[in-house]
Short mmCIF file of all heavy atoms in Angstrom, two decimals:
data_model
loop_
_atom_site.label_atom_id
_atom_site.label_comp_id
_atom_site.label_asym_id
_atom_site.label_seq_id
_atom_site.Cartn_x
_atom_site.Cartn_y
_atom_site.Cartn_z
N MET J 1 0.84 -1.18 0.00
CA MET J 1 0.00 0.00 0.00
C MET J 1 0.89 1.25 0.00
O MET J 1 1.76 1.40 0.84
CB MET J 1 -0.90 -0.01 1.24
CG MET J 1 -1.83 1.16 1.29
SD MET J 1 -3.08 1.02 2.56
CE MET J 1 -2.17 1.59 3.98
N GLU J 2 0.64 2.14 -0.92
CA GLU J 2 1.45 3.34 -1.07
C GLU J 2 1.01 4.41 -0.06
O GLU J 2 -0.17 4.62 0.15
CB GLU J 2 1.29 3.87 -2.49
CG GLU J 2 2.40 4.79 -2.91
CD GLU J 2 2.33 5.07 -4.40
OE1 GLU J 2 1.40 5.77 -4.82
OE2 GLU J 2 3.22 4.59 -5.10
N THR J 3 1.99 5.04 0.55
CA THR J 3 1.76 6.08 1.54
C THR J 3 2.87 7.11 1.40
O THR J 3 3.68 7.03 0.48
CB THR J 3 1.71 5.47 2.97
OG1 THR J 3 1.35 6.49 3.89
CG2 THR J 3 3.01 4.84 3.37
N CYS J 4 2.93 8.09 2.29
CA CYS J 4 4.06 9.03 2.25
C CYS J 4 4.95 8.78 3.47
O CYS J 4 4.53 8.22 4.47
CB CYS J 4 3.60 10.48 2.16
SG CYS J 4 2.65 11.08 3.53
N LEU J 5 6.18 9.17 3.34
CA LEU J 5 7.19 8.91 4.37
C LEU J 5 6.78 9.46 5.74
O LEU J 5 7.01 8.83 6.76
CB LEU J 5 8.53 9.52 3.93
CG LEU J 5 9.68 9.44 4.91
CD1 LEU J 5 10.00 7.99 5.25
CD2 LEU J 5 10.90 10.11 4.36
N SER J 6 6.13 10.60 5.76
CA SER J 6 5.76 11.21 7.04
C SER J 6 4.72 10.40 7.81
O SER J 6 4.50 10.65 8.99
CB SER J 6 5.26 12.64 6.82
OG SER J 6 4.14 12.63 5.96
N ASP J 7 4.08 9.41 7.18
CA ASP J 7 3.10 8.56 7.86
C ASP J 7 3.74 7.35 8.52
O ASP J 7 3.05 6.59 9.21
CB ASP J 7 2.04 8.07 6.87
CG ASP J 7 1.17 9.20 6.36
OD1 ASP J 7 1.03 10.21 7.06
OD2 ASP J 7 0.64 9.06 5.24
N MET J 8 5.03 7.14 8.34
CA MET J 8 5.70 5.97 8.89
C MET J 8 6.22 6.23 10.30
O MET J 8 6.50 7.37 10.66
CB MET J 8 6.84 5.53 7.96
CG MET J 8 6.33 5.06 6.61
SD MET J 8 7.64 4.49 5.54
CE MET J 8 8.16 3.01 6.39
N GLN J 9 6.35 5.16 11.07
CA GLN J 9 6.80 5.23 12.46
C GLN J 9 8.29 4.89 12.56
O GLN J 9 8.84 4.24 11.68
CB GLN J 9 6.00 4.26 13.33
CG GLN J 9 4.51 4.50 13.31
CD GLN J 9 4.14 5.84 13.90
OE1 GLN J 9 4.64 6.23 14.95
NE2 GLN J 9 3.26 6.55 13.22
N ILE J 10 8.91 5.29 13.67
CA ILE J 10 10.31 4.96 13.93
C ILE J 10 10.47 3.44 13.94
O ILE J 10 9.67 2.73 14.54
CB ILE J 10 10.77 5.57 15.26
CG1 ILE J 10 10.74 7.08 15.17
CG2 ILE J 10 12.16 5.08 15.63
CD1 ILE J 10 10.99 7.80 16.49
N GLY J 11 11.51 2.97 13.26
CA GLY J 11 11.80 1.54 13.20
C GLY J 11 11.19 0.83 12.01
O GLY J 11 11.54 -0.31 11.73
N GLU J 12 10.26 1.47 11.31
CA GLU J 12 9.65 0.83 10.14
C GLU J 12 10.57 0.91 8.94
O GLU J 12 11.33 1.87 8.80
CB GLU J 12 8.31 1.48 9.80
CG GLU J 12 7.22 1.15 10.78
CD GLU J 12 5.87 1.68 10.34
OE1 GLU J 12 5.79 2.84 9.90
OE2 GLU J 12 4.90 0.92 10.46
N ASN J 13 10.49 -0.10 8.10
CA ASN J 13 11.26 -0.13 6.86
C ASN J 13 10.32 0.14 5.70
O ASN J 13 9.14 -0.21 5.74
CB ASN J 13 11.92 -1.49 6.68
CG ASN J 13 12.93 -1.78 7.75
OD1 ASN J 13 13.67 -0.91 8.18
ND2 ASN J 13 12.95 -3.01 8.22
N GLY J 14 10.88 0.73 4.65
CA GLY J 14 10.07 1.04 3.48
C GLY J 14 10.89 1.02 2.21
O GLY J 14 12.11 0.83 2.23
N LYS J 15 10.17 1.21 1.11
CA LYS J 15 10.80 1.25 -0.20
C LYS J 15 10.20 2.42 -0.97
O LYS J 15 8.98 2.61 -0.95
CB LYS J 15 10.56 -0.07 -0.95
CG LYS J 15 11.18 -0.11 -2.30
CD LYS J 15 11.17 -1.49 -2.95
CE LYS J 15 9.85 -2.17 -2.93
NZ LYS J 15 9.80 -3.38 -3.76
N VAL J 16 11.04 3.20 -1.62
CA VAL J 16 10.59 4.35 -2.40
C VAL J 16 9.85 3.84 -3.64
O VAL J 16 10.35 2.97 -4.36
CB VAL J 16 11.78 5.23 -2.83
CG1 VAL J 16 11.31 6.38 -3.71
CG2 VAL J 16 12.53 5.76 -1.62
N THR J 17 8.65 4.37 -3.88
CA THR J 17 7.89 4.00 -5.07
C THR J 17 7.82 5.15 -6.07
O THR J 17 7.53 4.92 -7.24
CB THR J 17 6.46 3.55 -4.72
OG1 THR J 17 5.80 4.59 -4.02
CG2 THR J 17 6.49 2.29 -3.87
N GLY J 18 8.06 6.37 -5.62
CA GLY J 18 8.03 7.51 -6.54
C GLY J 18 7.93 8.83 -5.80
O GLY J 18 8.10 8.89 -4.58
N ILE J 19 7.64 9.87 -6.57
CA ILE J 19 7.50 11.22 -6.02
C ILE J 19 6.15 11.77 -6.49
O ILE J 19 5.77 11.58 -7.65
CB ILE J 19 8.66 12.13 -6.49
CG1 ILE J 19 9.98 11.53 -6.00
CG2 ILE J 19 8.49 13.56 -5.99
CD1 ILE J 19 11.21 12.18 -6.57
N ARG J 20 5.43 12.42 -5.59
CA ARG J 20 4.09 12.94 -5.92
C ARG J 20 4.15 13.88 -7.12
O ARG J 20 5.08 14.66 -7.26
CB ARG J 20 3.51 13.72 -4.75
CG ARG J 20 3.09 12.88 -3.61
CD ARG J 20 2.32 13.73 -2.59
NE ARG J 20 2.14 13.01 -1.36
CZ ARG J 20 1.19 12.10 -1.17
NH1 ARG J 20 0.35 11.82 -2.12
NH2 ARG J 20 1.09 11.48 0.00
N ARG J 21 3.12 13.81 -7.93
CA ARG J 21 2.98 14.74 -9.06
C ARG J 21 2.84 16.16 -8.52
O ARG J 21 2.28 16.38 -7.46
CB ARG J 21 1.75 14.40 -9.88
CG ARG J 21 1.89 13.13 -10.69
CD ARG J 21 0.68 13.01 -11.59
NE ARG J 21 0.79 12.38 -12.85
CZ ARG J 21 1.68 12.56 -13.81
NH1 ARG J 21 2.67 13.38 -13.62
NH2 ARG J 21 1.64 11.93 -14.95
N GLY J 22 3.38 17.11 -9.23
CA GLY J 22 3.29 18.50 -8.80
C GLY J 22 4.38 18.92 -7.83
O GLY J 22 4.36 20.02 -7.32
N GLU J 23 5.32 18.04 -7.55
CA GLU J 23 6.41 18.34 -6.61
C GLU J 23 7.73 18.52 -7.35
O GLU J 23 8.75 17.98 -6.97
CB GLU J 23 6.53 17.22 -5.57
CG GLU J 23 5.32 17.05 -4.69
CD GLU J 23 5.09 18.21 -3.74
OE1 GLU J 23 6.00 19.03 -3.53
OE2 GLU J 23 3.97 18.31 -3.23
N LYS J 24 7.71 19.31 -8.42
CA LYS J 24 8.91 19.52 -9.23
C LYS J 24 10.05 20.13 -8.43
O LYS J 24 11.21 19.84 -8.67
CB LYS J 24 8.60 20.41 -10.43
CG LYS J 24 7.83 19.72 -11.51
CD LYS J 24 7.69 20.61 -12.71
CE LYS J 24 7.03 19.86 -13.84
NZ LYS J 24 6.97 20.65 -15.06
N ALA J 25 9.71 20.96 -7.46
CA ALA J 25 10.74 21.63 -6.66
C ALA J 25 11.60 20.63 -5.90
O ALA J 25 12.79 20.85 -5.69
CB ALA J 25 10.09 22.61 -5.69
N TYR J 26 11.00 19.52 -5.47
CA TYR J 26 11.72 18.54 -4.67
C TYR J 26 12.22 17.35 -5.49
O TYR J 26 13.09 16.63 -5.04
CB TYR J 26 10.84 18.02 -3.53
CG TYR J 26 10.47 19.09 -2.55
CD1 TYR J 26 9.15 19.41 -2.32
CD2 TYR J 26 11.45 19.79 -1.85
CE1 TYR J 26 8.80 20.39 -1.41
CE2 TYR J 26 11.11 20.77 -0.95
CZ TYR J 26 9.78 21.07 -0.73
OH TYR J 26 9.44 22.03 0.16
N ARG J 27 11.64 17.11 -6.65
CA ARG J 27 11.95 15.91 -7.44
C ARG J 27 13.44 15.73 -7.67
O ARG J 27 14.02 14.71 -7.32
CB ARG J 27 11.21 15.95 -8.77
CG ARG J 27 11.49 14.75 -9.63
CD ARG J 27 10.67 14.79 -10.93
NE ARG J 27 11.06 13.75 -11.82
CZ ARG J 27 10.77 12.47 -11.69
NH1 ARG J 27 10.05 12.07 -10.65
NH2 ARG J 27 11.18 11.58 -12.56
N GLN J 28 14.09 16.72 -8.26
CA GLN J 28 15.51 16.62 -8.58
C GLN J 28 16.36 16.48 -7.31
O GLN J 28 17.31 15.71 -7.28
CB GLN J 28 15.97 17.83 -9.40
CG GLN J 28 17.29 17.64 -10.08
CD GLN J 28 17.26 16.51 -11.12
OE1 GLN J 28 16.24 16.25 -11.74
NE2 GLN J 28 18.37 15.85 -11.30
N LYS J 29 15.98 17.20 -6.27
CA LYS J 29 16.73 17.15 -5.01
C LYS J 29 16.66 15.75 -4.38
O LYS J 29 17.67 15.20 -3.96
CB LYS J 29 16.16 18.19 -4.05
CG LYS J 29 16.91 18.32 -2.76
CD LYS J 29 16.31 19.43 -1.92
CE LYS J 29 17.08 19.60 -0.64
NZ LYS J 29 16.53 20.66 0.21
N LEU J 30 15.47 15.16 -4.34
CA LEU J 30 15.31 13.83 -3.76
C LEU J 30 16.04 12.77 -4.58
O LEU J 30 16.68 11.88 -4.02
CB LEU J 30 13.82 13.48 -3.65
CG LEU J 30 13.03 14.32 -2.64
CD1 LEU J 30 11.54 14.08 -2.80
CD2 LEU J 30 13.46 14.01 -1.22
N LEU J 31 15.97 12.87 -5.90
CA LEU J 31 16.68 11.93 -6.75
C LEU J 31 18.19 12.05 -6.56
O LEU J 31 18.90 11.05 -6.51
CB LEU J 31 16.31 12.14 -8.22
CG LEU J 31 14.87 11.79 -8.60
CD1 LEU J 31 14.57 12.22 -10.03
CD2 LEU J 31 14.59 10.31 -8.41
N ALA J 32 18.68 13.28 -6.43
CA ALA J 32 20.12 13.51 -6.23
C ALA J 32 20.60 12.95 -4.89
O ALA J 32 21.76 12.56 -4.77
CB ALA J 32 20.43 15.00 -6.32
N MET J 33 19.71 12.87 -3.90
CA MET J 33 20.07 12.32 -2.59
C MET J 33 20.01 10.80 -2.58
O MET J 33 20.24 10.18 -1.56
CB MET J 33 19.16 12.90 -1.51
CG MET J 33 19.46 14.34 -1.20
SD MET J 33 18.55 14.94 0.24
CE MET J 33 16.96 15.29 -0.45
N GLY J 34 19.68 10.19 -3.71
CA GLY J 34 19.66 8.74 -3.80
C GLY J 34 18.31 8.10 -3.54
O GLY J 34 18.22 6.89 -3.40
N LEU J 35 17.26 8.89 -3.46
CA LEU J 35 15.92 8.37 -3.18
C LEU J 35 15.21 8.05 -4.50
O LEU J 35 14.20 8.66 -4.84
CB LEU J 35 15.14 9.35 -2.33
CG LEU J 35 15.74 9.57 -0.95
CD1 LEU J 35 15.04 10.71 -0.23
CD2 LEU J 35 15.66 8.30 -0.13
N THR J 36 15.75 7.09 -5.22
CA THR J 36 15.19 6.67 -6.50
C THR J 36 14.20 5.52 -6.26
O THR J 36 14.29 4.82 -5.24
CB THR J 36 16.30 6.21 -7.45
OG1 THR J 36 17.06 5.19 -6.81
CG2 THR J 36 17.23 7.36 -7.80
N PRO J 37 13.25 5.31 -7.17
CA PRO J 37 12.30 4.21 -7.00
C PRO J 37 13.00 2.87 -6.79
O PRO J 37 13.97 2.55 -7.47
CB PRO J 37 11.51 4.23 -8.31
CG PRO J 37 11.56 5.67 -8.73
CD PRO J 37 12.94 6.12 -8.34
N GLY J 38 12.53 2.12 -5.81
CA GLY J 38 13.10 0.82 -5.48
C GLY J 38 14.11 0.85 -4.34
O GLY J 38 14.48 -0.19 -3.80
N THR J 39 14.54 2.04 -3.93
CA THR J 39 15.51 2.17 -2.85
C THR J 39 14.85 1.87 -1.50
O THR J 39 13.80 2.42 -1.19
CB THR J 39 16.09 3.60 -2.82
OG1 THR J 39 16.67 3.89 -4.08
CG2 THR J 39 17.13 3.76 -1.73
N GLU J 40 15.48 1.00 -0.72
CA GLU J 40 14.95 0.66 0.60
C GLU J 40 15.58 1.55 1.67
O GLU J 40 16.72 1.97 1.54
CB GLU J 40 15.17 -0.82 0.89
CG GLU J 40 14.37 -1.71 -0.03
CD GLU J 40 14.38 -3.16 0.38
OE1 GLU J 40 14.91 -3.50 1.46
OE2 GLU J 40 13.83 -3.95 -0.41
N PHE J 41 14.83 1.80 2.74
CA PHE J 41 15.29 2.67 3.83
C PHE J 41 14.61 2.25 5.12
O PHE J 41 13.68 1.44 5.12
CB PHE J 41 14.94 4.13 3.51
CG PHE J 41 13.47 4.38 3.44
CD1 PHE J 41 12.77 4.75 4.57
CD2 PHE J 41 12.78 4.21 2.25
CE1 PHE J 41 11.41 4.95 4.52
CE2 PHE J 41 11.42 4.41 2.19
CZ PHE J 41 10.73 4.79 3.32
N SER J 42 15.08 2.81 6.24
CA SER J 42 14.40 2.62 7.52
C SER J 42 14.31 3.98 8.21
O SER J 42 15.20 4.82 8.07
CB SER J 42 15.15 1.62 8.40
OG SER J 42 16.43 2.09 8.71
N VAL J 43 13.23 4.20 8.92
CA VAL J 43 13.01 5.45 9.66
C VAL J 43 13.73 5.32 10.99
O VAL J 43 13.47 4.40 11.76
CB VAL J 43 11.51 5.71 9.88
CG1 VAL J 43 11.30 7.00 10.65
CG2 VAL J 43 10.77 5.76 8.55
N THR J 44 14.68 6.22 11.26
CA THR J 44 15.46 6.12 12.49
C THR J 44 14.99 7.07 13.59
O THR J 44 15.05 6.72 14.76
CB THR J 44 16.96 6.35 12.23
OG1 THR J 44 17.12 7.59 11.54
CG2 THR J 44 17.53 5.23 11.39
N ARG J 45 14.53 8.26 13.23
CA ARG J 45 14.01 9.16 14.28
C ARG J 45 13.32 10.37 13.68
O ARG J 45 13.52 10.73 12.53
CB ARG J 45 15.09 9.59 15.24
CG ARG J 45 16.18 10.43 14.64
CD ARG J 45 17.19 10.79 15.70
NE ARG J 45 18.42 11.24 15.05
CZ ARG J 45 19.46 11.64 15.70
NH1 ARG J 45 19.46 11.65 17.01
NH2 ARG J 45 20.53 12.03 15.06
N TYR J 46 12.50 10.99 14.53
CA TYR J 46 11.83 12.25 14.21
C TYR J 46 12.32 13.28 15.20
O TYR J 46 12.56 12.97 16.37
CB TYR J 46 10.31 12.13 14.37
CG TYR J 46 9.63 11.42 13.22
CD1 TYR J 46 9.35 10.06 13.29
CD2 TYR J 46 9.25 12.10 12.08
CE1 TYR J 46 8.73 9.40 12.25
CE2 TYR J 46 8.62 11.46 11.03
CZ TYR J 46 8.36 10.11 11.12
OH TYR J 46 7.75 9.46 10.09
N ALA J 47 12.42 14.52 14.79
CA ALA J 47 12.75 15.61 15.71
C ALA J 47 11.58 15.79 16.67
O ALA J 47 10.46 15.37 16.37
CB ALA J 47 13.00 16.89 14.93
N PRO J 48 11.78 16.39 17.83
CA PRO J 48 10.71 16.53 18.82
C PRO J 48 9.42 17.15 18.28
O PRO J 48 8.34 16.76 18.66
CB PRO J 48 11.33 17.42 19.90
CG PRO J 48 12.79 17.14 19.81
CD PRO J 48 13.06 16.90 18.35
N MET J 49 9.52 18.08 17.36
CA MET J 49 8.32 18.71 16.79
C MET J 49 7.90 18.02 15.49
O MET J 49 7.02 18.50 14.79
CB MET J 49 8.57 20.20 16.54
CG MET J 49 8.91 20.98 17.79
SD MET J 49 7.59 20.95 19.02
CE MET J 49 6.49 22.12 18.33
N GLY J 50 8.54 16.91 15.13
CA GLY J 50 8.16 16.14 13.96
C GLY J 50 8.86 16.54 12.68
O GLY J 50 8.66 15.93 11.64
N ASP J 51 9.68 17.56 12.71
CA ASP J 51 10.35 18.05 11.51
C ASP J 51 11.79 18.39 11.87
O ASP J 51 12.00 19.24 12.73
CB ASP J 51 9.62 19.28 10.99
CG ASP J 51 10.11 19.76 9.64
OD1 ASP J 51 10.69 18.95 8.90
OD2 ASP J 51 9.90 20.94 9.32
N PRO J 52 12.79 17.79 11.33
CA PRO J 52 12.80 16.83 10.22
C PRO J 52 12.70 15.38 10.67
O PRO J 52 12.69 15.08 11.86
CB PRO J 52 14.15 17.08 9.57
CG PRO J 52 15.04 17.44 10.72
CD PRO J 52 14.15 18.22 11.67
N VAL J 53 12.64 14.50 9.69
CA VAL J 53 12.66 13.05 9.90
C VAL J 53 14.01 12.54 9.42
O VAL J 53 14.54 13.04 8.43
CB VAL J 53 11.50 12.35 9.16
CG1 VAL J 53 11.55 12.62 7.68
CG2 VAL J 53 11.50 10.87 9.43
N GLU J 54 14.58 11.58 10.14
CA GLU J 54 15.86 11.00 9.74
C GLU J 54 15.64 9.57 9.28
O GLU J 54 14.97 8.80 9.97
CB GLU J 54 16.85 11.02 10.90
CG GLU J 54 18.22 10.49 10.52
CD GLU J 54 19.18 10.52 11.69
OE1 GLU J 54 19.81 11.57 11.90
OE2 GLU J 54 19.28 9.49 12.38
N ILE J 55 16.20 9.24 8.11
CA ILE J 55 16.11 7.88 7.60
C ILE J 55 17.51 7.34 7.33
O ILE J 55 18.45 8.11 7.14
CB ILE J 55 15.25 7.80 6.32
CG1 ILE J 55 15.86 8.63 5.18
CG2 ILE J 55 13.83 8.21 6.59
CD1 ILE J 55 15.17 8.46 3.85
N LYS J 56 17.62 6.03 7.35
CA LYS J 56 18.88 5.36 7.01
C LYS J 56 18.68 4.80 5.61
O LYS J 56 17.79 3.97 5.39
CB LYS J 56 19.16 4.25 8.02
CG LYS J 56 20.43 3.52 7.78
CD LYS J 56 21.50 4.10 8.65
CE LYS J 56 22.73 3.20 8.57
NZ LYS J 56 23.87 3.81 9.15
N VAL J 57 19.47 5.28 4.66
CA VAL J 57 19.33 4.88 3.27
C VAL J 57 20.71 4.73 2.63
O VAL J 57 21.58 5.57 2.86
CB VAL J 57 18.45 5.88 2.49
CG1 VAL J 57 19.04 7.26 2.48
CG2 VAL J 57 18.17 5.42 1.08
N ARG J 58 20.92 3.64 1.93
CA ARG J 58 22.19 3.39 1.22
C ARG J 58 23.41 3.53 2.13
O ARG J 58 24.46 4.02 1.73
CB ARG J 58 22.32 4.31 0.02
CG ARG J 58 21.24 4.10 -1.02
CD ARG J 58 21.46 4.99 -2.21
NE ARG J 58 20.35 4.93 -3.11
CZ ARG J 58 20.36 4.28 -4.28
NH1 ARG J 58 21.43 3.62 -4.66
NH2 ARG J 58 19.29 4.31 -5.05
N GLY J 59 23.27 3.16 3.41
CA GLY J 59 24.39 3.15 4.33
C GLY J 59 24.69 4.47 5.02
O GLY J 59 25.68 4.59 5.72
N PHE J 60 23.84 5.47 4.84
CA PHE J 60 24.07 6.74 5.54
C PHE J 60 22.76 7.28 6.08
O PHE J 60 21.68 6.86 5.68
CB PHE J 60 24.76 7.77 4.63
CG PHE J 60 23.94 8.25 3.47
CD1 PHE J 60 23.19 9.40 3.56
CD2 PHE J 60 23.94 7.55 2.27
CE1 PHE J 60 22.44 9.84 2.48
CE2 PHE J 60 23.20 7.99 1.19
CZ PHE J 60 22.43 9.14 1.29
N SER J 61 22.86 8.21 7.02
CA SER J 61 21.67 8.85 7.60
C SER J 61 21.34 10.10 6.81
O SER J 61 22.23 10.89 6.49
CB SER J 61 21.93 9.21 9.06
OG SER J 61 22.12 8.04 9.81
N LEU J 62 20.06 10.29 6.55
CA LEU J 62 19.60 11.42 5.75
C LEU J 62 18.43 12.07 6.47
O LEU J 62 17.48 11.38 6.88
CB LEU J 62 19.16 10.92 4.37
CG LEU J 62 18.57 11.92 3.40
CD1 LEU J 62 19.62 12.96 3.02
CD2 LEU J 62 18.07 11.21 2.16
N SER J 63 18.50 13.38 6.66
CA SER J 63 17.40 14.11 7.28
C SER J 63 16.60 14.84 6.21
O SER J 63 17.17 15.49 5.34
CB SER J 63 17.93 15.14 8.29
OG SER J 63 18.52 14.49 9.38
N LEU J 64 15.28 14.71 6.28
CA LEU J 64 14.39 15.34 5.32
C LEU J 64 13.41 16.25 6.05
O LEU J 64 12.86 15.87 7.09
CB LEU J 64 13.59 14.28 4.55
CG LEU J 64 14.39 13.33 3.68
CD1 LEU J 64 13.48 12.22 3.18
CD2 LEU J 64 15.01 14.07 2.52
N ARG J 65 13.15 17.40 5.48
CA ARG J 65 12.13 18.29 6.03
C ARG J 65 10.76 17.67 5.79
O ARG J 65 10.59 16.81 4.94
CB ARG J 65 12.20 19.65 5.34
CG ARG J 65 13.48 20.38 5.61
CD ARG J 65 13.48 21.69 4.88
NE ARG J 65 14.79 22.30 5.03
CZ ARG J 65 15.19 23.35 4.35
NH1 ARG J 65 14.39 23.91 3.46
NH2 ARG J 65 16.38 23.84 4.54
N GLN J 66 9.76 18.15 6.51
CA GLN J 66 8.41 17.60 6.40
C GLN J 66 7.88 17.70 4.97
O GLN J 66 7.27 16.76 4.47
CB GLN J 66 7.48 18.34 7.37
CG GLN J 66 6.16 17.65 7.58
CD GLN J 66 6.28 16.36 8.34
OE1 GLN J 66 7.19 16.17 9.13
NE2 GLN J 66 5.37 15.45 8.11
N ALA J 67 8.10 18.82 4.29
CA ALA J 67 7.61 18.99 2.92
C ALA J 67 8.27 17.99 1.97
O ALA J 67 7.61 17.44 1.08
CB ALA J 67 7.86 20.41 2.45
N GLU J 68 9.56 17.73 2.17
CA GLU J 68 10.27 16.74 1.34
C GLU J 68 9.74 15.34 1.62
O GLU J 68 9.54 14.55 0.70
CB GLU J 68 11.77 16.81 1.60
CG GLU J 68 12.40 18.11 1.20
CD GLU J 68 13.79 18.31 1.78
OE1 GLU J 68 14.14 17.68 2.79
OE2 GLU J 68 14.53 19.11 1.21
N ALA J 69 9.51 15.04 2.90
CA ALA J 69 9.01 13.72 3.28
C ALA J 69 7.61 13.50 2.71
O ALA J 69 7.27 12.39 2.30
CB ALA J 69 9.00 13.58 4.80
N ASN J 70 6.78 14.54 2.67
CA ASN J 70 5.43 14.42 2.13
C ASN J 70 5.45 14.23 0.61
O ASN J 70 4.51 13.68 0.05
CB ASN J 70 4.59 15.64 2.49
CG ASN J 70 4.19 15.63 3.94
OD1 ASN J 70 4.10 14.59 4.57
ND2 ASN J 70 3.96 16.81 4.48
N ALA J 71 6.49 14.71 -0.06
CA ALA J 71 6.58 14.58 -1.52
C ALA J 71 6.97 13.17 -1.94
O ALA J 71 6.72 12.75 -3.06
CB ALA J 71 7.58 15.58 -2.06
N LEU J 72 7.57 12.41 -1.03
CA LEU J 72 8.08 11.08 -1.33
C LEU J 72 7.00 10.02 -1.12
O LEU J 72 6.41 9.93 -0.06
CB LEU J 72 9.27 10.80 -0.42
CG LEU J 72 10.24 9.72 -0.80
CD1 LEU J 72 10.90 10.03 -2.13
CD2 LEU J 72 11.31 9.58 0.26
N LEU J 73 6.75 9.22 -2.16
CA LEU J 73 5.80 8.11 -2.06
C LEU J 73 6.56 6.84 -1.72
O LEU J 73 7.57 6.54 -2.34
CB LEU J 73 5.05 7.93 -3.37
CG LEU J 73 4.15 9.08 -3.79
CD1 LEU J 73 3.59 8.84 -5.19
CD2 LEU J 73 3.03 9.28 -2.80
N VAL J 74 6.08 6.11 -0.71
CA VAL J 74 6.76 4.92 -0.25
C VAL J 74 5.76 3.81 0.03
O VAL J 74 4.56 4.04 0.11
CB VAL J 74 7.57 5.20 1.04
CG1 VAL J 74 8.60 6.28 0.82
CG2 VAL J 74 6.66 5.59 2.18
N GLU J 75 6.27 2.60 0.16
CA GLU J 75 5.45 1.48 0.65
C GLU J 75 6.21 0.81 1.78
O GLU J 75 7.44 0.75 1.77
CB GLU J 75 5.10 0.50 -0.45
CG GLU J 75 6.26 -0.25 -1.04
CD GLU J 75 5.84 -1.19 -2.15
OE1 GLU J 75 4.84 -0.94 -2.83
OE2 GLU J 75 6.54 -2.19 -2.33
N LYS J 76 5.47 0.33 2.76
CA LYS J 76 6.10 -0.35 3.90
C LYS J 76 6.58 -1.73 3.47
O LYS J 76 5.92 -2.41 2.70
CB LYS J 76 5.13 -0.46 5.06
CG LYS J 76 4.74 0.90 5.64
CD LYS J 76 3.78 0.77 6.76
CE LYS J 76 3.38 2.15 7.25
NZ LYS J 76 2.43 2.09 8.36
N VAL J 77 7.74 -2.13 4.00
CA VAL J 77 8.30 -3.45 3.68
C VAL J 77 8.26 -4.31 4.91
O VAL J 77 8.48 -3.89 6.00
CB VAL J 77 9.76 -3.29 3.18
CG1 VAL J 77 10.37 -4.64 2.89
CG2 VAL J 77 9.80 -2.42 1.95
#
């Protein structure tokens, strides 16, 4: 089931399925950070106010702002 990254809980694993339509501003940035379709990741933590979210992807930790996390389409693994 496809959802957005911001709906996932700490410790959950997921796989990138795409980027929401209309999110051109973030598309190139997310792809450049290695968040291409099929990439697996795990949610490691959220900041106290929920922004940003930190994920472990391709062997490194990556922090995403809430708007970036909402632009990313994922499925739970």
